[in-house]
Amino acid sequence: MSESKELANRKLGEDVVGLVGGKENILSISHCMTRLRFKLRDDAKADTKAIESHKGVIQVINANGQYQVVVGINVIEDVYDAAVAASGVEGLGEVNLDGEPVKKGNVVSALIDTISGVIQPILAVLCAAGMIKGVLSILVALGWITATDGLYQILYAAGDGFFYFLPIILGYTAAKKFGCSEFVGMTLGIALTYPAMVNITSGDVLGTVLAGTPFAMNYYTTFLGIPVIMPSSGYTSSVIPIIISVWFAAKLEKWCRKHFSEYVKFFFVPTCVLVVMVPATYLIIGPIATLITNLMSLLFNSLYSLPVIGGALGGIVLTAIWQPMVIFGFHWSVIALMLVNIASQGWDIVMAPYMVCSYAQSLAVLAILLKTKDVKLKQLAWPAFISGFFFGITEPCIYGVTLPRKKPFIMSCIASVPGGLIIGALGTKMFAFTGGGFCAFPGFIDPSGAMGANYLIYVIIAIVVSSVISFLLTYATYKEDVPAVEAAK
């Protein structure tokens, strides 16, 4: 990146901080792939019109308790760093300025904020690890390498190792999110993935809790006479237990720091937190999380197991609302469920249809590109199209092109439904989350070889169907704003 671009990105970050009301109005800052996400003391102090008119800003979204400034994937890291430096706020965490409590939204907003805040920092590496696993699966399927080759084993250690030790990584990001010691959070994750505890499920079953129900859970050992309930694979690759555990650990750690003497805080606080939270995670949090996960899986499995229409109905619902969920951040809850399903059963069908949405959105942008005479719109739409089509990152398409014009956005959502119906009706499974766009394709290769590339073929057919419909609908209905075109010349 040239020095002039670096200076421009730095100035953009500094300007946005000033325009949202200055550092005194900022409670926390985080970011995703395309947007700065602020929690503000008072949203009314933010000059939204001035921010939207800034040359480097695509759009401003104020939803779910977050003031979001969309700047694009190419500059987000530099702008975020500049905003953090200008505000003096620690990134990824909620800070408490002058003792004033952080604003809280409703339950849905809090849930979305929590999930996105914990998963977003690792999304790039998550996609990279999934991509490595996907590519290795392709190479094995083609017979170019075997699972015993050194090449496979070393690279698979990186790809699969990331998912296996995911609780440790999430322990770190959750600690940043909740204001807990990062190393305490990581240690809780280590306790959940400790080999001796993971392997305990291979021993003899001592008993079963809720036997005879869909929620039956075995236990293999006890703690002071209390059954230690664990899923069959332990908590490796799990998501929910570590997040809940670190949230409680943050509360306990803050209490301990207030009540323990300065002379023993250094070592006694983390000792007490770990001694309390590790057993609590295994005895309470883990089983509850397992029960909730089983309930969610039961609900979705019930939907998809409905005779004839189950899969199709699930695919229709997801693809119809996926892009609106992206706008408000609701899609993170589905991503979390997908990770749980892949960790527990090795595949997911709930989120499998999401692929068609990014292509429907991208082809709507392409239709506008081929029809518009607005030079400024073309300059904005080309990189948005490339980002959406090749990498599945549709925020630039949504916020920069389709949503402001309303009808193209609606057309892309409508066009996504037939593709979702195809994927859902055919029972398409996703075996790894490898990102969006072309990077997502390896995730649909069956690593067992039973279905081979069949699921991938279903996905490609669905993408073509939705993409063609989206392009034709948008091209037929899009009308140029003549005054805006003339002004842009």
Side-chain angles (χ1 to χ4, degrees):
M1 181 182 295
S2 67
E3 185 176 351
S4 60
K5 288 185 178 180
E6 290 181 0
L7 290 174
N9 293 339
R10 187 184 311 157
K11 185 176 185 305
L12 174 57
E14 294 170 350
D15 291 347
V16 170
V17 167
L19 291 171
V20 297
K23 59 184 181 181
E24 296 81 8
N25 194 40
I26 299 174
L27 291 168
S28 69
I29 308 176
S30 62
H31 75 91
C32 58
M33 288 186 174
T34 58
R35 341 172 202 182
L36 292 173
R37 295 171 176 264
F38 292 93
K39 274 197 171 184
L40 304 177
R41 290 180 184 276
D42 185 358
D43 293 350
K45 291 183 179 180
D47 191 343
T48 301
K49 289 185 178 180
I51 296 173
E52 287 185 325
S53 64
H54 198 292
K55 183 179 179 181
V57 174
I58 298 175
Q59 192 165 350
V60 172
I61 304 293
N62 192 357
N64 297 318
Q66 290 186 338
Y67 192 87
Q68 305 171 24
V69 181
V70 185
V71 296
I73 188 173
N74 295 325
V75 301
I76 183 62
E77 293 288 350
D78 291 336
V79 175
Y80 170 74
D81 290 341
V84 169
S87 65
V89 174
E90 182 181 356
L92 299 181
E94 293 183 348
V95 296
N96 218 335
L97 303 178
D98 302 326
E100 183 174 330
V102 176
K103 286 192 306 182
K104 300 294 180 183
N106 56 39
V107 175
V108 176
S109 297
L111 178 62
I112 293 169
D113 178 68
T114 299
I115 294 173
S116 61
V118 172
I119 296 179
Q120 280 175 353
I122 67 168
L123 187 57
V125 185
L126 181 94
C127 293
M131 188 65 183
I132 290 173
K133 292 184 67 175
V135 171
L136 289 175
S137 297
I138 293 176
L139 295 179
V140 171
L142 292 174
W144 293 356
I145 63 173
T146 67
T148 59
D149 290 346
L151 170 65
Y152 178 92
Q153 292 176 335
I154 290 175
L155 291 180
Y156 195 75
D160 191 58
F162 176 90
F163 291 98
Y164 188 91
F165 295 107
L166 186 60
I168 301 176
I169 299 171
L170 293 179
Y172 176 84
T173 58
K176 294 285 288 183
K177 174 69 179 175
F178 303 135
C180 178
S181 167
E182 293 92 334
F183 295 105
V184 168
M186 293 175 69
T187 304
L188 289 172
I190 291 170
L192 288 177
T193 56
Y194 188 63
M197 290 303 296
V198 173
N199 295 332
I200 202 172
T201 57
S202 61
D204 296 330
V205 177
L206 298 183
T208 303
V209 176
L210 300 178
T213 73
F215 311 107
M217 296 176 284
N218 297 330
Y219 63 90
Y220 304 83
T221 188
T222 61
F223 179 84
L224 299 178
I226 304 173
V228 178
I229 300 168
M230 293 179 61
S232 59
S233 60
Y235 293 107
T236 59
S237 303
S238 62
V239 176
I240 296 176
I242 186 62
I243 294 177
I244 298 175
S245 179
V246 175
W247 185 83
F248 279 106
K251 302 293 183 182
L252 179 59
E253 185 182 68
K254 290 174 184 177
W255 184 90
C256 289
R257 290 191 179 280
K258 288 182 179 180
H259 293 84
F260 289 175
S261 168
E262 293 290 339
Y263 298 103
V264 298
K265 277 184 180 180
F266 179 74
F267 64 90
F268 206 58
V269 169
T271 300
C272 287
V273 172
L274 292 174
V275 167
V276 171
M277 288 310 307
V278 172
T281 302
Y282 273 110
L283 297 176
I284 304 172
I285 297 173
I288 292 176
T290 301
L291 184 64
I292 294 173
T293 301
N294 289 346
L295 178 60
M296 295 176 67
S297 297
L298 179 63
L299 291 174
F300 277 100
N301 288 336
S302 298
L303 174 63
Y304 275 85
S305 64
L306 288 174
V308 183
I309 64 171
L313 182 60
I316 289 172
V317 172
L318 182 74
T319 50
I321 65 175
W322 180 259
Q323 296 295 359
M325 286 197 301
V326 170
I327 293 175
F328 296 105
F330 290 112
H331 64 306
W332 285 105
S333 59
V334 183
I335 292 175
L337 178 59
M338 173 268 296
L339 293 175
V340 169
N341 285 340
I342 291 179
S344 62
Q345 59 192 19
W347 47 267
D348 173 69
I349 57 176
V350 177
M351 194 174 146
Y354 89 105
M355 280 286 294
V356 302
C357 301
S358 60
Y359 282 97
Q361 191 70 226
S362 301
L363 266 292
V365 173
L366 181 61
I368 294 173
L369 272 168
L370 296 179
K371 199 168 184 180
T372 186
K373 297 179 180 179
D374 187 338
V375 176
K376 185 176 180 180
L377 176 57
K378 285 179 178 289
Q379 292 173 344
L380 177 65
W382 272 119
F385 168 73
I386 293 171
S387 174
F389 187 82
F390 290 101
F391 304 108
I393 302 169
T394 56
E395 283 90 345
C397 294
I398 295 173
Y399 300 127
V401 184
T402 62
L403 190 60
R405 291 158 182 81
K406 297 182 178 64
K407 190 173 290 186
F409 179 79
I410 297 173
M411 294 298 105
S412 70
C413 292
I414 293 173
S416 298
V417 171
L421 187 153
I422 293 172
I423 290 177
L426 294 175
T428 305
K429 296 178 180 179
M430 180 168 60
F431 299 91
F433 181 52
T434 55
F438 289 177
C439 296
F441 291 149
F444 292 91
I445 302 291
D446 186 350
S448 70
M451 289 296 291
N454 285 358
Y455 290 135
L456 175 58
I457 293 173
Y458 300 160
V459 169
I460 292 174
I461 292 173
I463 287 173
V464 171
V465 170
S466 287
S467 297
V468 170
I469 295 174
S470 180
F471 180 87
L472 294 177
L473 286 176
T474 304
Y475 196 88
T477 59
Y478 178 71
K479 293 183 180 180
E480 196 78 85
D481 185 349
V482 178
V485 174
E486 294 300 322
K489 290 183 178 179

